[in-house]
Amino acid sequence: MSEVQLEIFPDAVRVERKEPDHNRHRFYRMYVQPDLFGGCTLFREWGRIGTGGRQRRDQFSDEGQAVDALLQLFKRKQRRGYQ
């Protein structure tokens, strides 16, 4: 498996996992946005490709923490076969 080089501080990532033999076609999308109170929100969306999927929002006190969480989740998804 080849690893993809991300920019130094990414604010958005989309990965997919396709396994036609098992009828698995999934996506995982993450992005960071500042909020109105000086903090930052990490938005996550996941599900089957072609559907709206599910969503989750996590609040952080600053952008650095949100980006760190995004990178940690990205690495976890890579280990599970997402590219």
Side-chain angles (χ1 to χ4, degrees):
M1 178 174 88
S2 64
E3 291 196 23
V4 175
Q5 178 67 41
L6 294 177
E7 60 183 270
I8 294 176
F9 299 109
D11 60 356
V13 174
R14 179 184 166 95
V15 290
E16 294 181 352
R17 180 178 176 185
K18 296 180 181 179
E19 297 177 29
D21 296 342
H22 295 91
N23 196 25
R24 288 188 195 132
H25 305 280
R26 300 172 190 253
F27 74 93
Y28 204 95
R29 179 175 177 236
M30 302 169 276
Y31 56 96
V32 174
Q33 284 190 326
D35 62 23
L36 297 174
F37 306 105
C40 226
T41 304
L42 172 61
F43 291 90
R44 299 193 270 170
E45 300 171 358
W46 67 93
R48 187 169 176 85
I49 294 173
T51 67
R54 300 184 69 184
Q55 298 178 355
R56 178 177 169 167
R57 291 182 296 216
D58 296 312
Q59 298 292 116
F60 294 92
S61 59
D62 64 32
E63 185 177 8
Q65 290 177 342
V67 169
D68 286 345
L70 181 145
L71 290 172
Q72 187 176 30
L73 286 166
F74 175 71
K75 289 177 185 177
R76 187 180 315 159
K77 293 302 169 187
Q78 276 190 316
R79 286 193 301 266
R80 297 205 58 191
Y82 285 80
Q83 299 178 348

